[in-house]
């Protein structure tokens, strides 16, 4: 059959091999070669920073008395301790707001009246025990009367000299986002510390 058409006869040999090689190269170049995608290196992100606590406004003493007991949270949020400060007072003495705020609670707790003021977002100031406390939902200004000192918060010191009233203590506490903090750090008119009487060499009060 090929002899009848010598023009189209294909010689087997080196030319045939080159023809096959050229055909394979042409087919290979017509298809894209898959390149493996670059794997991004894992990035180490720093942990998110804790938000700053809300600022506590400057506080003024609710009455003119000495601090007879300080702040103490040594036992945690629910254990024994003292989550505020106690200020020497007399029963019936006028109590003023240590800063401007809104009354969010005014009622009885364990048989005595207490008042809580929202003085900044997340910041609560609590005072007690009180007689005749202000009503709830009232907004008070700095140094506005919020009640009078009531009995029931031990230990009561001796009454003010010349007042003729029973000795008592007023409790002041500050909570920031539900955590009690030391109010003394925010008082702008801190009272002078009360000094204990000196002892004689034998350990007895000096006369």
């Amino acid at each position: 059959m090929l002899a009848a058409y010598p023009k189209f006869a294909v010689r087997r040999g080196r030319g045939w091999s080159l023809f096959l090689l050229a055909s394979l190269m042409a087919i290979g170049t017509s298809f894209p070669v898959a390149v493996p995608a670059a794997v991004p290196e894992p990035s180490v992100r720093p942990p998110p920073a804790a938000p700053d606590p809300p600022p506590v406004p400057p506080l003024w003493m609710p009455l003119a008395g000495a601090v007879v007991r300080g702040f103490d949270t040594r036992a945690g949020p629910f254990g024994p301790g003292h989550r505020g400060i106690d200020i020497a007072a007399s029963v019936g003495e006028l109590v003023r707001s240590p800063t401007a705020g809104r009354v969010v609670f005014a009622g009885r707790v364990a048989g005595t009246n207490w008042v809580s003021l929202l003085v900044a977002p997340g910041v609560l100031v609590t005072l007690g025990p009180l007689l005749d406390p202000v009503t709830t939902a009232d907004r008070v200004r700095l140094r506005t009367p919020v009640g009078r000192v009531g009995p029931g918060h031990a230990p009561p010191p001796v009454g003010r000299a010349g007042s003729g009233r029973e000795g008592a203590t007023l409790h002041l506490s500050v909570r920031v986002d539900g955590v009690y903090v030391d109010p003394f750090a925010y008082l702008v008119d801190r009272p002078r510390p009360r000094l204990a009487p000196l002892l004689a060499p034998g350990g007895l009060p000096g006369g």
Side-chain angles (χ1 to χ4, degrees), residues 43-69:
S43 58
V44 179
R45 296 182 179 179
D52 295 331
V56 178
L59 303 178
W60 293 78
M61 288 287 287
L63 47 79
V67 175
V68 294
R69 187 179 180 188

Side-chain angles (χ1 to χ4, degrees), residues 191-206:
R192 294 182 179 180
R194 172 177 290 182
L195 300 178
L198 296 177
L199 298 179
L204 298 176

Side-chain angles (χ1 to χ4, degrees), residues 132-145:
D132 304 325
V134 294
T135 59
T136 57
D138 283 348
R139 188 162 190 86
V140 296
R141 297 181 179 180
L142 171 65
R143 311 298 293 162
T144 299

